Structures are given as structure tokens and as C-alpha cells.
Amino acid sequence: MQLPPLKSLLYFKHAAELGSFKLAAEQLYVTQAAISQQIRSLETHLGCVLFERHTRKICLTAKGKLLLPHIRKAFEYLHHGVQVIEEDPQPAGLNLSVLPSFATCWLLPRISSFQRQHPNIRVRIDPSDSLVDFDAGEADLGIRFGKGHYPGLHSELLASDDMLLAYKPGLIDPSKPLKEQIKSNHLIMDICPDAERAWGILFDKLALTGVHEPHFLEIDNAALVMQATLAGQGVGMLRRQLIQPQLALGQLEIHPEFEIACDYQYYLAGPVGHFNWHKVKLFRTWLLGQFNSL
């Protein structure tokens, strides 16, 4: 015998346990008509009546009473199976896939705070911008700088950021015209859309586009751009979140008249079930606290 549709069995279970098509509809967020239709379909499939319909109530027939415990047990098995899949296989280990620049400039200087708060959780950081196979257990969570669209994954916004014109103290004098200082300095380009857009906006503002446009040292890594800027190799366009410690220590300065909001933002991303894991909840709370304290 072919089994009836799972939906009709689920609707039967709720209606039988609640003794009401109306209450079952409210619990399942469907219409009462949908409940009635599925029950009639199930009765037709089984060739028997499962409920006695009365004006203000319903009652299980003898065959309905016979069926109910088996349906309950079946859904308990299904629930247990799903629960096993969703359980954290390594509750004492937290594997993070993080962009290399974010790992170097932001996460590593702060992660000891999380470890002190939660010494029983072993943290592993994979600094990579490659796609992660979550199903293979390569990571529990990813921290990405993008627009939040990661197919098949749940993502949560962590923070926004701004592009700043940054330099070693004394390299740029904010009291003097910026155009000639930009023309006379080496410029360092982080090869990413936000930095490229910010440089373009600055060049348009200073009328530097065209044949006299300054040349760049191009680096495909924001952490290395920051290191080159710290070393006095030139003027960089850097994200505020990545250079907060250097600004606080006076190792870098930013031009007070230039700040561009990034199109991209920081997101926490991973399979939706991972966000129910205890270690992930702890890390998410800590991470948001770190961003909010800036």
C-alpha cells in the first residue's frame, strides 16, 4: 500500500491531539478549510473515517484512535533524525573562515578576549577568501565583507565601514591643499571595489583624472596595504574598521575631509542550523559586542 502524503498525516496528528480542526489550523498557520481538505484526502486514501464530525467538536473514531499513536511515533522519529543532523558535532571547537585582511587587522588583535571568556572553546581561524564547504565540516562560520547574498547560507549583518585616506603621521599636512600632496606622494591601491571607487571619487574631487592621474602601487590584500602605509611607503585608502588600533596609537593619520561609505559590509554567514549551536551563539554575542564598542 502506498503511504499517504506526509502533510495529511501531520494535519491529522494536530487535529487529533487538539480535538479541533480550527485549533489545528491556528497552530499550523493554515486555514481550517485546508485542514478539512487534508483530512478528507487522508480518509479517502485509507478508505475509512477517522473523525466523527459534530457541530462544536470532533472525535476520533476507533480507527482514528488506532492510527494516532503510530503517527505520533513516526513524527518523533522524524524529529529525532532532523535533530541529529542539526546537532553540533564538535561543541568544543569553533572553526572560522575569515578574510585574510580581517583576520590580520581586526580579529587576531581581539580574539584573546573571546578565549579568556570561553576557555573551553578551541578556536581555529582559516584566513581565506575561498568558498567554504560547510557540509564537509571545513568551517562552522564565515566572516565576509560583501553584500550579504550567500546562496544556501544564512547571513547576519555585523557592521558597516568607511574608506579613509590614511598615511603615516607627517606625510600629509591637512592644513595645505591636498591635490599637490597627492600628486607628489606614492599611492597604494587595495584592489577591491570600495577602494577603487573611493580613489575615483577623490580624483574627481581634486580634478586629477586624465593624463596626469597619479600611479599606484597595487596590492590585492588590505592588510598588506595597511603595512605598506604604516611603513611610510605612500598614501593608502583603508577601511576604518581595519585601522582602529593604529589610529588610536597615533601610528596612522586620516585626512579629516575625506570619508566614503563602503558599498560592502561585514556579515556573519553559515548554514542556518549552525546559528543554533551554543558556541556560535557565544561567538556571535562576543563579536557584536566588539563591533559595538568601537
Side-chain angles (χ1 to χ4, degrees):
M1 178 181 179
Q2 186 178 2
L3 289 175
L6 188 63
K7 181 188 288 188
S8 65
L9 295 174
L10 177 65
Y11 285 17
F12 164 77
K13 175 179 175 294
H14 280 267
E17 290 175 340
L18 294 169
S20 167
F21 288 172
K22 180 181 178 182
L23 293 177
E26 292 175 356
Q27 193 171 78
L28 292 167
Y29 298 100
V30 297
T31 65
Q32 186 172 338
I35 298 290
S36 298
Q37 182 180 0
Q38 287 294 326
I39 298 300
R40 283 196 300 270
S41 175
L42 179 61
E43 290 175 328
T44 299
H45 185 98
L46 297 176
C48 64
V49 176
L50 299 172
F51 289 98
E52 295 177 1
R53 279 84 164 170
H54 303 284
T55 304
R56 297 186 179 277
K57 65 177 182 177
I58 57 172
C59 298
L60 284 171
T61 63
K63 289 193 174 181
K65 292 177 181 178
L66 186 64
L67 178 62
L68 180 58
H70 297 284
I71 299 302
R72 279 177 172 157
K73 186 175 292 187
F75 276 101
E76 286 174 4
Y77 276 118
L78 287 173
H79 179 75
H80 178 69
V82 172
Q83 195 173 38
V84 167
I85 293 297
E86 291 183 344
E87 284 178 354
D88 184 358
Q90 295 181 327
L94 179 64
N95 297 328
L96 303 171
S97 174
V98 186
L99 292 174
S101 58
F102 186 82
T104 301
C105 301
W106 197 98
L107 186 59
L108 288 178
R110 295 173 171 86
I111 193 63
S112 61
S113 166
F114 177 79
Q115 292 178 299
R116 286 193 300 271
Q117 292 178 29
H118 308 288
N120 295 326
I121 298 177
R122 172 190 54 81
V123 178
R124 178 180 176 274
I125 298 173
D126 177 18
S128 172
D129 54 8
S130 301
L131 294 176
V132 176
D133 187 350
F134 286 99
D135 291 335
E138 293 181 359
D140 299 315
L141 283 176
I143 300 177
R144 287 295 181 260
F145 191 60
K147 295 192 174 182
H149 305 300
Y150 307 105
L153 301 177
H154 174 73
S155 65
E156 293 186 3
L157 177 65
L158 293 170
S160 57
D161 212 342
D162 303 300
M163 299 302 303
L164 307 173
L165 192 65
Y167 41 83
K168 190 174 181 179
L171 196 63
I172 295 288
D173 185 348
S175 67
K176 296 180 180 180
L178 182 58
K179 181 175 181 177
E180 293 304 317
Q181 296 185 82
I182 289 292
K183 288 173 64 176
S184 63
N185 269 294
H186 295 291
L187 306 182
I188 309 171
M189 167 73 82
D190 177 11
I191 305 175
C192 73
D194 279 317
E196 293 173 0
R197 182 174 65 89
W199 277 116
I201 291 171
L202 179 63
F203 280 16
D204 287 343
K205 182 179 179 180
L206 300 179
L208 282 172
T209 53
V211 293
H212 301 297
E213 187 172 316
H215 296 290
F216 288 98
L217 168 64
E218 298 184 359
I219 305 177
D220 192 9
N221 185 295
L224 295 181
V225 172
M226 185 189 73
Q227 290 300 321
T229 306
L230 278 169
Q233 296 297 310
V235 180
M237 193 71 70
L238 292 165
R239 301 201 295 270
R240 182 188 298 276
Q241 295 281 3
L242 301 187
I243 61 172
Q244 288 285 0
Q246 291 73 27
L247 293 176
L249 292 171
Q251 297 172 340
L252 286 177
E253 293 180 350
I254 57 175
H255 198 277
E257 297 179 2
F258 188 80
E259 179 178 322
I260 299 295
C262 294
D263 284 337
Y264 289 7
Q265 297 171 301
Y266 296 96
Y267 286 89
L268 194 62
V272 64
H274 289 198
F275 285 80
N276 294 322
W277 293 351
H278 181 62
K279 67 187 182 186
V280 169
K281 291 179 179 179
L282 293 176
F283 181 73
R284 176 184 174 275
T285 298
W286 172 83
L287 193 62
L288 289 172
Q290 292 294 310
F291 274 113
N292 291 335
S293 67
L294 296 176

